[in-house]
């Protein structure tokens, strides 16, 4: 968030899952960007400032733990990610 903003991290129990929610008040994403964010090597950053592997690695880790990830984003308003991981207790 180059212009500043707020990041909120929250957790909660959601049925048989533990939910991790990360939201921000940044610039958000267009629908086109949102469709590609989990593709390896996709980035919106300038050359030399990112590999485009972060979210694809995160999704791989979540998938390997039989979890789920969802994203809601509105251009100009911010983004919210929710990660659900099984609560095996």
């Amino acid at each position: 968030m180059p212009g500043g903003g707020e990041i909120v991290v929250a957790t909660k129990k959601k049925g048989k899952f533990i939910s991790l929610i990360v939201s921000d008040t940044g610039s958000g994403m267009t629908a086109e960007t949102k469709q590609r964010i989990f593709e390896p090597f996709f980035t919106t950053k300038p050359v030399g400032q990112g590999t485009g592997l972060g979210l694809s690695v995160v999704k791989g880790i979540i998938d390997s733990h039989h979890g789920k990830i969802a994203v809601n984003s509105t251009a100009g308003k911010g983004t919210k990610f929710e990660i659900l991981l099984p609560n095996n207790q």
Side-chain angles (χ1 to χ4, degrees), residues 18-60:
I18 299 297
S19 170
L20 169 65
I21 299 167
V22 180
S23 58
D24 68 44
T25 58
S27 58
M29 292 180 261
T30 64
E32 294 81 17
T33 297
K34 186 178 157 189
Q35 288 179 333
R36 299 190 61 199
I37 60 172
F38 298 113
E39 291 178 18
F41 305 109
F42 174 76
T43 183
T44 58
K45 294 179 182 174
V47 173
Q49 292 191 14
T51 61
L53 290 174
L55 286 174
S56 66
V57 169
V58 167
K59 185 165 182 346

Side-chain angles (χ1 to χ4, degrees):
M1 296 183 299
E6 184 176 287
I7 297 174
V8 176
V9 179
T11 59
K12 63 181 176 181
K13 189 171 180 183
K14 201 169 186 182
K16 295 182 179 183
F17 292 89
I18 299 297
S19 170
L20 169 65
I21 299 167
V22 180
S23 58
D24 68 44
T25 58
S27 58
M29 292 180 261
T30 64
E32 294 81 17
T33 297
K34 186 178 157 189
Q35 288 179 333
R36 299 190 61 199
I37 60 172
F38 298 113
E39 291 178 18
F41 305 109
F42 174 76
T43 183
T44 58
K45 294 179 182 174
V47 173
Q49 292 191 14
T51 61
L53 290 174
L55 286 174
S56 66
V57 169
V58 167
K59 185 165 182 346
I61 293 168
I62 292 166
D63 289 347
S64 72
H65 289 280
H66 308 287
K68 303 172 186 177
I69 185 168
V71 60
N72 290 308
S73 187
T74 303
K77 296 199 177 198
T79 300
K80 175 181 165 184
F81 283 92
E82 182 173 19
I83 297 168
L84 296 172
L85 294 172
N87 183 6
N88 296 323
Q89 293 186 5

